Amino acid sequence: VQLQASGGGLVQAGGSLRLSCAGSGHTSTMYAMGWFRQALGKERERVASIVRTVGSAEYADSVKGRFTISRDNAKNMLYLQMNSLKPEDTAVYFCAARSDPFDIYKYWGQGTLVTVSS
């Protein structure tokens, strides 16, 4: 499974961005996919995840109501719509996938930098 994230950039506070993650390989066998982020000097945190088949999603408290994760299984794509962005959302964002509910996220894309200016 290969993942490639894109869509990062510089945006003003209150603005929006949509991140995309293109999957290839055996993405159809993945149980769930997620978006993670890592800010400078901080640990990586899970932002949102979605079960690939049923579409049920979970969000970090810090992004609930502002971010929306979605997927297009036919296109092997994962998205993260980010609205009402805050400077504290500044981080490198990664997409990832795991093959079953009891496994860790084993497959990772390269990061895409999101910078939110105040």
Side-chain angles (χ1 to χ4, degrees):
V1 174
Q2 293 80 44
L3 303 171
Q4 184 167 0
S6 62
L10 174 64
V11 63
Q12 287 188 332
S16 299
L17 277 177
R18 188 175 85 151
L19 304 183
S20 299
C21 177
S24 60
H26 298 287
T27 53
S28 62
T29 65
M30 293 296 104
Y31 168 77
M33 300 186 73
W35 287 97
F36 293 72
R37 68 185 180 186
Q38 187 167 19
L40 191 63
K42 295 187 178 180
E43 293 186 354
R44 186 160 52 190
E45 63 171 341
R46 185 171 60 177
V47 174
S49 61
I50 188 167
V51 176
R52 194 179 166 281
T53 52
V54 299
S56 55
E58 294 182 343
Y59 297 90
D61 288 343
S62 58
V63 306
K64 280 181 182 176
R66 300 188 298 120
F67 290 11
T68 302
I69 188 172
S70 62
R71 85 272 187 253
D72 185 332
N73 291 341
K75 296 182 179 179
N76 287 329
M77 294 295 296
L78 178 73
Y79 304 100
L80 185 68
Q81 178 65 44
M82 305 185 294
N83 299 328
S84 301
L85 282 161
K86 304 175 181 180
E88 50 263 43
D89 294 319
T90 295
V92 178
Y93 285 71
F94 301 87
C95 57
R98 58 176 174 159
S99 57
D100 67 67
F102 305 106
D103 201 1
I104 61 172
Y105 282 86
K106 286 183 178 177
Y107 308 98
W108 293 83
Q110 90 294 353
T112 185
L113 177 62
V114 172
T115 304
V116 184
S117 63
S118 57

